[in-house]
Each structure stands twice: as C-alpha cells, then as structure tokens.
Amino acid sequence: MTRLTGLARVGLAGAALTAVVAVTAIGLRAVGVNRWAALTRTHRGQLEAGRVDDQGEAGGPLTSTIRATPRFDARELEGLPAPVQRYFRAVLTDGQPIIATASIEMAGTINMSATGEQWKPFSSHQRVATSSAGARPGFLWDAKVRMFPGVAAHVEDSYIAGQGQLIAKLLGLFTVAEARGGELARGEFMRWFAEAPWYPTALLPSQGVRWQAVDAASANATLVDGPITLTLLFRFNETGLIASVRADSRGAGVGKGMVMLPWECSLSSYQRQGGMLIPMTGEAAWVRPDGRKVYFVGHVASVSYEFAR
C-alpha cells in the first residue's frame, strides 16, 4: 500500500509539472503572438507610407517618376516584344484598373535547410505595394512555419523603401535569424519583381518596366528602384502566360555567409482573380552547380486588390 501511495504521489507531481509546462507554453505563445503582431503592424505601416527614414521610422511617400495612370490602356503595348504583348492581352483587358496594393493569403511548404531536406508547412499573409500611387514598390511577407507539433516560427521577409529584411522568431519571441542591408535589399526587390505576375499591372511599361526581346518565348524586363537596377528573364508558355522568372545571380544564405547563385521562380495554375489572370501556384529554386534545388512551394488561397484612382 505504501509503495502504491508513493507511485501515486510521483504521478501527481508529474501531472502537475506537465500542467505547469503546458500553461507556460500557452502563455509564451500568447505573448509571442502579440509581440509579433505589433512588429509586423509597424512594418506594414512603413510599407504603406512608402518610406523609412534613417531612424527606421515611417515617413511620407517618395516622389515617383512613374506615370500616374489609373487604368490599363492597350495602346501602351505597341512596340513591346511579341511574347510580352501576348501575355498582357491574355491576362488583362483594356481598361483594367491599375493595382495599388495586393493582399495574398498562401499556404505551402518550405525547406528550412540550405543543404538537406527539412520541409515544413507554412501559412502566410503577404501585403504588396506597387509604384502606382507614387510610393516605392515593396512587400511584407508574414509567415507562420510549423517547426514541431505546437511550436511555430514566425518569419518576416520584406522590402520596404529600398531596405530588405529577414526576421525569424521561434514562438514570435526568440530570434533565430535576422538579416538586413547590403545584398539583401537587392534580393528582396528581386522577389517583389519576380512575383509581379500576382499583381500583373506592375509589369506594364507605364509602371516603369522596360522590356527587351530575347526570343519568341522570352524577354528581359528591367526595373529601377532608387539605386537598385534589376533585369530578370521572363519565359512564357505556349498559352502566352509567364511560366518562369530567372535571375542570373541572387544572394543565397549558407550558414552565416552568402553565395551568389542563379535563382528561378516557376508559376502555374492560372485563374481569374480581380478581372486578371494570375498564377495560383509558385515555386522558388536555387540553380546550384549540382542541379536545381527547390526550396519553396506555395499555393494562393485568396487574393484581394486595391486599385489606383
């Protein structure tokens, strides 16, 4: 009887400890969610203001050289490379309102290892700003990555007023990755540009994009934001839609360092949204010497737009 009583006491103590751990974990998650929401709310305000000053505070929109035009005019396609004209005629209709901002809900999987296979599920909300309203182009990708059962990492990938930033916090509290400045800004602007088929009016000449023919199924597109000038290769499929976007060189994180590698986004499963034809699936990959390595697969759950006036 004494032995059973002792075991019962041990069992009760274990149960109490488990309960304390569970309550602590719930509390940490709640605090982390609130702190993370406050952080991303601040950054979203900066994105929509259009600039960040030297102290990291939001300011007013920068003066833009983009021609203000609230609607797509098919006459601006004259003189563009043939595959580019086919693309715009396929995805836009004459008079389509120009996108000012986009909100994209997505879910998918992401490989958390630069060299191995550590695929984790994620869900995300992405806010995008274009140049149409006189502000600078940018985005904020706010993702929740399930690392282990009950344990998530919150990740922000962003390009705001010419500044790139990557932040990852376990439970929204404990920083596990943080990078900004330097080559990262170019890489984040590259992401914004490559993902423009989700907000296709941003690819129009009236929005600052210069197109140059390569062949019957591809063209180079060049865009400038502040000191950054990018040229990406857009490839089109047999139906005239963008199948992939490629950069000759983008900074890839390896350990605490960075190497420059070719980078490619593949786009598929086009559907009508907001009067436009956009891809519902996106895939990102590094093109390494030993072959193409996919690290991101995302599926659009919903998308909404606000248009220029």
Side-chain angles (χ1 to χ4, degrees):
M1 185 70 175
T2 303
R3 184 179 179 185
L4 291 175
T5 302
L7 289 174
R9 288 175 179 170
V10 171
L12 288 172
L17 179 60
T18 300
V20 169
V21 171
V23 170
T24 301
I26 292 170
L28 284 174
R29 281 199 296 269
V31 171
V33 166
N34 289 335
R35 288 188 182 178
W36 184 261
L39 177 71
T40 56
R41 188 162 53 245
T42 297
H43 293 168
R44 174 169 168 168
Q46 294 172 347
L47 170 69
E48 298 192 354
R51 64 175 294 177
V52 178
D53 66 21
D54 292 338
Q55 286 72 46
E57 299 295 331
L62 298 180
T63 302
S64 173
T65 59
I66 303 303
R67 177 162 58 88
T69 173
R71 293 183 179 274
F72 163 57
D73 185 338
R75 289 175 295 182
E76 73 171 286
L77 303 184
E78 295 175 6
L80 292 182
V84 179
Q85 291 196 40
R86 285 196 299 271
Y87 166 72
F88 283 123
R89 296 187 193 283
V91 303
L92 302 176
T93 56
D94 199 18
Q96 166 69 41
I98 300 297
I99 297 165
T101 63
S103 294
I104 305 168
E105 302 287 341
M106 186 175 288
T109 55
I110 185 169
N111 188 2
M112 305 301 291
S113 172
T115 56
E117 301 292 330
Q118 296 180 16
W119 289 90
K120 304 293 183 182
F122 77 87
S123 58
S124 67
H125 172 80
Q126 184 165 332
R127 184 70 170 172
V128 178
T130 74
S131 303
S132 65
R136 295 177 70 169
F139 74 92
L140 188 153
W141 186 67
D142 178 10
K144 185 177 180 181
V145 182
R146 185 163 65 86
M147 303 300 293
F148 311 101
V151 179
H154 294 263
V155 181
E156 178 190 307
D157 203 29
S158 63
Y159 180 72
I160 300 174
Q163 297 183 22
Q165 183 164 256
L166 170 66
I167 307 172
K169 292 179 179 286
L170 202 62
L171 299 176
L173 289 172
F174 309 106
T175 302
V176 293
E178 187 168 6
R180 59 172 57 87
E183 182 62 29
L184 188 63
R186 181 176 176 274
E188 299 294 25
F189 183 37
M190 193 176 294
R191 173 177 172 173
W192 182 95
F193 196 11
E195 292 182 351
W198 277 313
Y199 31 99
T201 60
L203 291 170
L204 288 165
S206 62
Q207 304 307 300
V209 180
R210 303 193 307 272
W211 290 94
Q212 183 177 18
V214 173
D215 56 36
S218 61
N220 283 321
T222 300
L223 184 63
V224 177
D225 183 48
I228 304 174
T229 298
L230 293 180
T231 297
L232 301 181
L233 176 66
F234 286 71
R235 293 192 176 101
F236 303 86
N237 64 21
E238 64 280 358
T239 63
L241 303 176
I242 293 171
S244 68
V245 184
R246 181 183 172 102
D248 288 336
S249 180
R250 184 185 179 189
V254 177
K256 295 183 178 180
M258 181 178 290
V259 297
M260 305 305 293
L261 292 171
W263 177 74
E264 185 175 82
C265 289
S266 298
L267 302 160
S268 60
S269 304
Y270 279 75
Q271 293 182 15
R272 285 279 169 194
Q273 299 287 335
M276 300 164 288
L277 202 57
I278 67 165
M280 301 302 283
T281 296
E283 179 183 284
W286 297 107
V287 184
R288 300 182 180 275
D290 58 346
R292 187 172 182 270
K293 183 176 177 60
V294 176
Y295 67 89
F296 175 95
V297 179
H299 307 282
V300 174
S302 66
V303 60
S304 60
Y305 300 103
E306 296 172 12
F307 299 103
R309 297 178 180 179

PDB file of all heavy atoms in Angstrom, residues 123-150:
ATOM      1  N   SER A 123       1.862  28.867 -43.463  1.00  0.00           N
ATOM      2  CA  SER A 123       0.759  29.692 -43.950  1.00  0.00           C
ATOM      3  C   SER A 123       1.230  31.134 -43.870  1.00  0.00           C
ATOM      4  O   SER A 123       2.047  31.485 -43.010  1.00  0.00           O
ATOM      5  CB  SER A 123      -0.507  29.491 -43.107  1.00  0.00           C
ATOM      6  OG  SER A 123      -0.258  29.807 -41.748  1.00  0.00           O
ATOM      7  N   SER A 124       0.764  31.980 -44.763  1.00  0.00           N
ATOM      8  CA  SER A 124       1.298  33.336 -44.793  1.00  0.00           C
ATOM      9  C   SER A 124       0.277  34.342 -45.288  1.00  0.00           C
ATOM     10  O   SER A 124      -0.674  34.011 -45.997  1.00  0.00           O
ATOM     11  CB  SER A 124       2.542  33.400 -45.689  1.00  0.00           C
ATOM     12  OG  SER A 124       2.195  33.168 -47.049  1.00  0.00           O
ATOM     13  N   HIS A 125       0.510  35.584 -44.877  1.00  0.00           N
ATOM     14  CA  HIS A 125      -0.201  36.741 -45.427  1.00  0.00           C
ATOM     15  C   HIS A 125       0.846  37.677 -46.006  1.00  0.00           C
ATOM     16  O   HIS A 125       1.835  37.997 -45.339  1.00  0.00           O
ATOM     17  CB  HIS A 125      -1.002  37.469 -44.348  1.00  0.00           C
ATOM     18  CG  HIS A 125      -1.586  38.766 -44.844  1.00  0.00           C
ATOM     19  ND1 HIS A 125      -2.741  38.806 -45.590  1.00  0.00           N
ATOM     20  CD2 HIS A 125      -1.155  40.057 -44.719  1.00  0.00           C
ATOM     21  CE1 HIS A 125      -3.010  40.068 -45.903  1.00  0.00           C
ATOM     22  NE2 HIS A 125      -2.066  40.846 -45.384  1.00  0.00           N
ATOM     23  N   GLN A 126       0.641  38.082 -47.231  1.00  0.00           N
ATOM     24  CA  GLN A 126       1.590  38.982 -47.885  1.00  0.00           C
ATOM     25  C   GLN A 126       0.884  40.251 -48.311  1.00  0.00           C
ATOM     26  O   GLN A 126      -0.166  40.216 -48.962  1.00  0.00           O
ATOM     27  CB  GLN A 126       2.232  38.306 -49.099  1.00  0.00           C
ATOM     28  CG  GLN A 126       3.296  39.162 -49.778  1.00  0.00           C
ATOM     29  CD  GLN A 126       4.152  38.352 -50.736  1.00  0.00           C
ATOM     30  OE1 GLN A 126       4.335  37.153 -50.546  1.00  0.00           O
ATOM     31  NE2 GLN A 126       4.673  38.985 -51.763  1.00  0.00           N
ATOM     32  N   ARG A 127       1.466  41.374 -47.948  1.00  0.00           N
ATOM     33  CA  ARG A 127       0.954  42.681 -48.358  1.00  0.00           C
ATOM     34  C   ARG A 127       1.937  43.273 -49.352  1.00  0.00           C
ATOM     35  O   ARG A 127       3.153  43.319 -49.092  1.00  0.00           O
ATOM     36  CB  ARG A 127       0.811  43.594 -47.139  1.00  0.00           C
ATOM     37  CG  ARG A 127       0.195  44.952 -47.447  1.00  0.00           C
ATOM     38  CD  ARG A 127      -1.272  44.845 -47.807  1.00  0.00           C
ATOM     39  NE  ARG A 127      -1.887  46.178 -47.862  1.00  0.00           N
ATOM     40  CZ  ARG A 127      -3.115  46.390 -48.301  1.00  0.00           C
ATOM     41  NH1 ARG A 127      -3.868  45.373 -48.720  1.00  0.00           N
ATOM     42  NH2 ARG A 127      -3.614  47.608 -48.319  1.00  0.00           N
ATOM     43  N   VAL A 128       1.434  43.733 -50.483  1.00  0.00           N
ATOM     44  CA  VAL A 128       2.275  44.246 -51.562  1.00  0.00           C
ATOM     45  C   VAL A 128       1.851  45.668 -51.902  1.00  0.00           C
ATOM     46  O   VAL A 128       0.658  45.971 -51.981  1.00  0.00           O
ATOM     47  CB  VAL A 128       2.152  43.367 -52.823  1.00  0.00           C
ATOM     48  CG1 VAL A 128       3.000  43.928 -53.961  1.00  0.00           C
ATOM     49  CG2 VAL A 128       2.533  41.934 -52.523  1.00  0.00           C
ATOM     50  N   ALA A 129       2.828  46.535 -52.100  1.00  0.00           N
ATOM     51  CA  ALA A 129       2.576  47.888 -52.585  1.00  0.00           C
ATOM     52  C   ALA A 129       3.280  48.062 -53.924  1.00  0.00           C
ATOM     53  O   ALA A 129       4.409  47.591 -54.104  1.00  0.00           O
ATOM     54  CB  ALA A 129       3.085  48.924 -51.596  1.00  0.00           C
ATOM     55  N   THR A 130       2.631  48.720 -54.863  1.00  0.00           N
ATOM     56  CA  THR A 130       3.230  48.987 -56.162  1.00  0.00           C
ATOM     57  C   THR A 130       3.602  50.467 -56.259  1.00  0.00           C
ATOM     58  O   THR A 130       3.351  51.248 -55.348  1.00  0.00           O
ATOM     59  CB  THR A 130       2.277  48.621 -57.311  1.00  0.00           C
ATOM     60  OG1 THR A 130       1.234  49.610 -57.383  1.00  0.00           O
ATOM     61  CG2 THR A 130       1.658  47.247 -57.089  1.00  0.00           C
ATOM     62  N   SER A 131       4.160  50.846 -57.393  1.00  0.00           N
ATOM     63  CA  SER A 131       4.580  52.235 -57.599  1.00  0.00           C
ATOM     64  C   SER A 131       3.449  53.127 -58.070  1.00  0.00           C
ATOM     65  O   SER A 131       3.645  54.332 -58.233  1.00  0.00           O
ATOM     66  CB  SER A 131       5.705  52.284 -58.643  1.00  0.00           C
ATOM     67  OG  SER A 131       6.786  51.479 -58.249  1.00  0.00           O
ATOM     68  N   SER A 132       2.262  52.563 -58.276  1.00  0.00           N
ATOM     69  CA  SER A 132       1.209  53.307 -58.962  1.00  0.00           C
ATOM     70  C   SER A 132       0.708  54.515 -58.189  1.00  0.00           C
ATOM     71  O   SER A 132       0.247  55.480 -58.775  1.00  0.00           O
ATOM     72  CB  SER A 132       0.025  52.377 -59.267  1.00  0.00           C
ATOM     73  OG  SER A 132      -0.556  51.941 -58.061  1.00  0.00           O
ATOM     74  N   ALA A 133       0.794  54.470 -56.858  1.00  0.00           N
ATOM     75  CA  ALA A 133       0.256  55.565 -56.050  1.00  0.00           C
ATOM     76  C   ALA A 133       1.319  56.597 -55.688  1.00  0.00           C
ATOM     77  O   ALA A 133       1.086  57.456 -54.842  1.00  0.00           O
ATOM     78  CB  ALA A 133      -0.382  55.005 -54.786  1.00  0.00           C
ATOM     79  N   GLY A 134       2.492  56.525 -56.301  1.00  0.00           N
ATOM     80  CA  GLY A 134       3.548  57.478 -56.015  1.00  0.00           C
ATOM     81  C   GLY A 134       4.484  57.032 -54.915  1.00  0.00           C
ATOM     82  O   GLY A 134       5.450  57.721 -54.606  1.00  0.00           O
ATOM     83  N   ALA A 135       4.212  55.893 -54.281  1.00  0.00           N
ATOM     84  CA  ALA A 135       5.108  55.342 -53.263  1.00  0.00           C
ATOM     85  C   ALA A 135       6.082  54.381 -53.931  1.00  0.00           C
ATOM     86  O   ALA A 135       5.963  54.060 -55.106  1.00  0.00           O
ATOM     87  CB  ALA A 135       4.306  54.626 -52.187  1.00  0.00           C
ATOM     88  N   ARG A 136       7.055  53.903 -53.153  1.00  0.00           N
ATOM     89  CA  ARG A 136       8.002  52.948 -53.710  1.00  0.00           C
ATOM     90  C   ARG A 136       7.437  51.529 -53.646  1.00  0.00           C
ATOM     91  O   ARG A 136       6.623  51.210 -52.774  1.00  0.00           O
ATOM     92  CB  ARG A 136       9.325  53.024 -52.936  1.00  0.00           C
ATOM     93  CG  ARG A 136      10.012  54.358 -53.112  1.00  0.00           C
ATOM     94  CD  ARG A 136      11.279  54.462 -52.298  1.00  0.00           C
ATOM     95  NE  ARG A 136      12.342  53.595 -52.816  1.00  0.00           N
ATOM     96  CZ  ARG A 136      13.600  53.671 -52.409  1.00  0.00           C
ATOM     97  NH1 ARG A 136      13.948  54.548 -51.480  1.00  0.00           N
ATOM     98  NH2 ARG A 136      14.520  52.867 -52.916  1.00  0.00           N
ATOM     99  N   PRO A 137       7.853  50.651 -54.568  1.00  0.00           N
ATOM    100  CA  PRO A 137       7.369  49.270 -54.531  1.00  0.00           C
ATOM    101  C   PRO A 137       7.905  48.553 -53.296  1.00  0.00           C
ATOM    102  O   PRO A 137       9.002  48.846 -52.812  1.00  0.00           O
ATOM    103  CB  PRO A 137       7.949  48.664 -55.812  1.00  0.00           C
ATOM    104  CG  PRO A 137       9.179  49.486 -56.089  1.00  0.00           C
ATOM    105  CD  PRO A 137       8.827  50.880 -55.650  1.00  0.00           C
ATOM    106  N   GLY A 138       7.118  47.603 -52.788  1.00  0.00           N
ATOM    107  CA  GLY A 138       7.575  46.849 -51.623  1.00  0.00           C
ATOM    108  C   GLY A 138       6.602  45.758 -51.255  1.00  0.00           C
ATOM    109  O   GLY A 138       5.506  45.653 -51.816  1.00  0.00           O
ATOM    110  N   PHE A 139       7.007  44.935 -50.292  1.00  0.00           N
ATOM    111  CA  PHE A 139       6.132  43.877 -49.803  1.00  0.00           C
ATOM    112  C   PHE A 139       6.521  43.506 -48.378  1.00  0.00           C
ATOM    113  O   PHE A 139       7.630  43.785 -47.913  1.00  0.00           O
ATOM    114  CB  PHE A 139       6.210  42.626 -50.696  1.00  0.00           C
ATOM    115  CG  PHE A 139       7.485  41.831 -50.520  1.00  0.00           C
ATOM    116  CD1 PHE A 139       7.561  40.782 -49.610  1.00  0.00           C
ATOM    117  CD2 PHE A 139       8.627  42.145 -51.247  1.00  0.00           C
ATOM    118  CE1 PHE A 139       8.739  40.068 -49.437  1.00  0.00           C
ATOM    119  CE2 PHE A 139       9.811  41.430 -51.077  1.00  0.00           C
ATOM    120  CZ  PHE A 139       9.860  40.391 -50.167  1.00  0.00           C
ATOM    121  N   LEU A 140       5.581  42.885 -47.701  1.00  0.00           N
ATOM    122  CA  LEU A 140       5.835  42.310 -46.382  1.00  0.00           C
ATOM    123  C   LEU A 140       5.183  40.926 -46.354  1.00  0.00           C
ATOM    124  O   LEU A 140       3.965  40.805 -46.492  1.00  0.00           O
ATOM    125  CB  LEU A 140       5.267  43.188 -45.269  1.00  0.00           C
ATOM    126  CG  LEU A 140       5.650  42.787 -43.835  1.00  0.00           C
ATOM    127  CD1 LEU A 140       5.627  44.014 -42.924  1.00  0.00           C
ATOM    128  CD2 LEU A 140       4.719  41.724 -43.257  1.00  0.00           C
ATOM    129  N   TRP A 141       6.022  39.896 -46.233  1.00  0.00           N
ATOM    130  CA  TRP A 141       5.556  38.504 -46.161  1.00  0.00           C
ATOM    131  C   TRP A 141       5.616  38.073 -44.706  1.00  0.00           C
ATOM    132  O   TRP A 141       6.689  37.988 -44.111  1.00  0.00           O
ATOM    133  CB  TRP A 141       6.447  37.618 -47.021  1.00  0.00           C
ATOM    134  CG  TRP A 141       6.013  36.189 -47.165  1.00  0.00           C
ATOM    135  CD1 TRP A 141       4.899  35.725 -47.800  1.00  0.00           C
ATOM    136  CD2 TRP A 141       6.706  35.021 -46.685  1.00  0.00           C
ATOM    137  NE1 TRP A 141       4.857  34.356 -47.756  1.00  0.00           N
ATOM    138  CE2 TRP A 141       5.950  33.891 -47.072  1.00  0.00           C
ATOM    139  CE3 TRP A 141       7.889  34.829 -45.975  1.00  0.00           C
ATOM    140  CZ2 TRP A 141       6.341  32.595 -46.767  1.00  0.00           C
ATOM    141  CZ3 TRP A 141       8.289  33.539 -45.662  1.00  0.00           C
ATOM    142  CH2 TRP A 141       7.510  32.432 -46.059  1.00  0.00           C
ATOM    143  N   ASP A 142       4.459  37.840 -44.125  1.00  0.00           N
ATOM    144  CA  ASP A 142       4.335  37.459 -42.715  1.00  0.00           C
ATOM    145  C   ASP A 142       3.885  36.001 -42.679  1.00  0.00           C
ATOM    146  O   ASP A 142       2.736  35.688 -43.003  1.00  0.00           O
ATOM    147  CB  ASP A 142       3.313  38.370 -42.033  1.00  0.00           C
ATOM    148  CG  ASP A 142       3.087  38.024 -40.574  1.00  0.00           C
ATOM    149  OD1 ASP A 142       3.847  37.202 -40.021  1.00  0.00           O
ATOM    150  OD2 ASP A 142       2.136  38.580 -39.979  1.00  0.00           O
ATOM    151  N   ALA A 143       4.792  35.101 -42.289  1.00  0.00           N
ATOM    152  CA  ALA A 143       4.522  33.667 -42.372  1.00  0.00           C
ATOM    153  C   ALA A 143       4.626  32.996 -41.005  1.00  0.00           C
ATOM    154  O   ALA A 143       5.374  33.438 -40.122  1.00  0.00           O
ATOM    155  CB  ALA A 143       5.492  32.992 -43.340  1.00  0.00           C
ATOM    156  N   LYS A 144       3.884  31.920 -40.868  1.00  0.00           N
ATOM    157  CA  LYS A 144       3.950  31.069 -39.681  1.00  0.00           C
ATOM    158  C   LYS A 144       4.362  29.679 -40.154  1.00  0.00           C
ATOM    159  O   LYS A 144       3.652  29.040 -40.928  1.00  0.00           O
ATOM    160  CB  LYS A 144       2.594  31.025 -38.986  1.00  0.00           C
ATOM    161  CG  LYS A 144       2.584  30.255 -37.672  1.00  0.00           C
ATOM    162  CD  LYS A 144       1.199  30.352 -37.033  1.00  0.00           C
ATOM    163  CE  LYS A 144       1.138  29.600 -35.707  1.00  0.00           C
ATOM    164  NZ  LYS A 144      -0.220  29.696 -35.110  1.00  0.00           N
ATOM    165  N   VAL A 145       5.535  29.233 -39.713  1.00  0.00           N
ATOM    166  CA  VAL A 145       6.094  27.952 -40.143  1.00  0.00           C
ATOM    167  C   VAL A 145       6.019  26.969 -38.979  1.00  0.00           C
ATOM    168  O   VAL A 145       6.548  27.257 -37.893  1.00  0.00           O
ATOM    169  CB  VAL A 145       7.557  28.106 -40.602  1.00  0.00           C
ATOM    170  CG1 VAL A 145       8.102  26.770 -41.104  1.00  0.00           C
ATOM    171  CG2 VAL A 145       7.666  29.167 -41.694  1.00  0.00           C
ATOM    172  N   ARG A 146       5.360  25.832 -39.179  1.00  0.00           N
ATOM    173  CA  ARG A 146       5.236  24.851 -38.102  1.00  0.00           C
ATOM    174  C   ARG A 146       6.511  24.020 -38.040  1.00  0.00           C
ATOM    175  O   ARG A 146       6.769  23.181 -38.885  1.00  0.00           O
ATOM    176  CB  ARG A 146       4.016  23.948 -38.326  1.00  0.00           C
ATOM    177  CG  ARG A 146       3.773  22.986 -37.155  1.00  0.00           C
ATOM    178  CD  ARG A 146       2.354  22.428 -37.205  1.00  0.00           C
ATOM    179  NE  ARG A 146       2.140  21.598 -38.381  1.00  0.00           N
ATOM    180  CZ  ARG A 146       2.425  20.292 -38.445  1.00  0.00           C
ATOM    181  NH1 ARG A 146       2.944  19.669 -37.410  1.00  0.00           N
ATOM    182  NH2 ARG A 146       2.180  19.609 -39.545  1.00  0.00           N
ATOM    183  N   MET A 147       7.324  24.281 -37.020  1.00  0.00           N
ATOM    184  CA  MET A 147       8.606  23.598 -36.874  1.00  0.00           C
ATOM    185  C   MET A 147       8.430  22.213 -36.243  1.00  0.00           C
ATOM    186  O   MET A 147       9.036  21.232 -36.683  1.00  0.00           O
ATOM    187  CB  MET A 147       9.552  24.444 -36.020  1.00  0.00           C
ATOM    188  CG  MET A 147       9.778  25.844 -36.560  1.00  0.00           C
ATOM    189  SD  MET A 147      10.485  25.858 -38.220  1.00  0.00           S
ATOM    190  CE  MET A 147      12.114  25.161 -37.898  1.00  0.00           C
ATOM    191  N   PHE A 148       7.622  22.159 -35.169  1.00  0.00           N
ATOM    192  CA  PHE A 148       7.311  20.925 -34.462  1.00  0.00           C
ATOM    193  C   PHE A 148       5.865  21.018 -34.010  1.00  0.00           C
ATOM    194  O   PHE A 148       5.274  22.105 -34.016  1.00  0.00           O
ATOM    195  CB  PHE A 148       8.233  20.748 -33.234  1.00  0.00           C
ATOM    196  CG  PHE A 148       9.691  20.944 -33.523  1.00  0.00           C
ATOM    197  CD1 PHE A 148      10.337  22.124 -33.198  1.00  0.00           C
ATOM    198  CD2 PHE A 148      10.428  19.942 -34.146  1.00  0.00           C
ATOM    199  CE1 PHE A 148      11.669  22.326 -33.472  1.00  0.00           C
ATOM    200  CE2 PHE A 148      11.771  20.121 -34.429  1.00  0.00           C
ATOM    201  CZ  PHE A 148      12.400  21.312 -34.089  1.00  0.00           C
ATOM    202  N   PRO A 149       5.251  19.911 -33.617  1.00  0.00           N
ATOM    203  CA  PRO A 149       3.880  19.990 -33.117  1.00  0.00           C
ATOM    204  C   PRO A 149       3.775  21.007 -31.976  1.00  0.00           C
ATOM    205  O   PRO A 149       4.479  20.913 -30.971  1.00  0.00           O
ATOM    206  CB  PRO A 149       3.599  18.568 -32.630  1.00  0.00           C
ATOM    207  CG  PRO A 149       4.491  17.713 -33.477  1.00  0.00           C
ATOM    208  CD  PRO A 149       5.734  18.518 -33.679  1.00  0.00           C
ATOM    209  N   GLY A 150       2.931  22.009 -32.156  1.00  0.00           N
ATOM    210  CA  GLY A 150       2.729  23.015 -31.130  1.00  0.00           C
ATOM    211  C   GLY A 150       3.769  24.111 -31.091  1.00  0.00           C
ATOM    212  O   GLY A 150       3.680  25.033 -30.272  1.00  0.00           O
TER     213      GLY A 150
END
